[in-house]
Amino acid sequence: MPYTIRPFVESDADGLAALTLSAIHAIGGLRYSHVQIDAWAARHPGPDRFVARHAKGDLIFVAVDAHDISVAYSLLELGDGASGHLDMLYCHPDHSGKGLADRLLEAAEESARRNAITRLFTEASELARPAFKRAGYEVLHRRNFEIEGVAIHNYAMEKHLT
């Protein structure tokens, strides 16, 4: 199935919110407990968040299928002086393993270069860490933290652009 990477439009918001939760629930169980997955999913509010992030200047790259249905996305923070933070990378479980994460990270990197950003950084889940490693990000350290009293972890990672 052919995929296209394009910029976010407001009509994507509902689909991105749904695919985020689908990814957390369906793929998250490969590396996280049910309690951790529930805590992680609870901190992801609905579609309004995507519209607000886009409005403040953050860039959302959306992978769509041949019917223009959102199947994956990444979010690069540029608004409010937060340049270089790759905040989100999610893929719907039905489209995982098809190279979309690699393409979305490439799109974010190209945009970062156009915006004179010299360093990208993220907090990658156990599930996203391999995609970031393939894209040239280095693990800085494991981050252990809590969400609503539930212990969970991810990895601080960065990539210097030259």
Side-chain angles (χ1 to χ4, degrees):
M1 173 179 288
Y3 297 99
T4 303
I5 308 296
R6 64 163 173 72
F8 171 85
V9 293
E10 284 193 27
S11 60
D12 293 326
D14 288 331
L16 296 186
L19 85 82
T20 301
L21 294 177
S22 291
I24 291 169
H25 286 289
I27 302 171
L30 298 173
R31 297 282 191 257
Y32 295 95
S33 73
H34 293 293
V35 173
Q36 289 171 318
I37 291 166
D38 289 345
W40 181 4
R43 66 184 285 252
H44 284 278
D48 293 344
R49 177 179 66 167
F50 295 101
V51 174
R53 298 290 294 271
H54 177 68
K56 82 171 192 172
D58 294 342
L59 300 179
I60 305 171
F61 305 94
V62 182
V64 296
D65 67 10
H67 304 288
D68 201 41
I69 296 176
S70 305
V71 298
Y73 72 95
S74 63
L75 188 148
L76 177 63
E77 291 182 345
L78 291 180
D80 297 335
S83 59
H85 183 232
L86 195 68
D87 188 33
M88 291 185 260
L89 176 65
Y90 285 95
C91 184
H92 189 280
D94 294 343
H95 300 272
S96 183
K98 299 182 189 286
L100 294 174
D102 298 341
R103 291 179 59 192
L104 288 164
L105 290 174
E106 183 179 304
E109 185 174 327
E110 289 172 7
S111 183
R113 289 179 192 281
R114 282 193 304 275
N115 283 281
I117 295 169
T118 58
R119 175 182 170 259
L120 292 173
F121 62 101
T122 194
E123 299 79 33
S125 69
E126 285 282 355
L127 305 156
R129 184 174 64 156
F132 283 101
K133 292 276 287 180
R134 282 192 309 273
Y137 285 70
E138 294 182 28
V139 174
L140 301 175
H141 61 273
R142 178 178 159 138
R143 296 178 62 243
N144 296 306
F145 58 99
E146 290 186 359
I147 301 173
E148 300 295 326
V150 176
I152 195 166
H153 69 277
N154 61 23
Y155 297 87
M157 299 180 77
E158 71 176 1
K159 180 176 183 175
H160 292 275
L161 306 177
T162 55

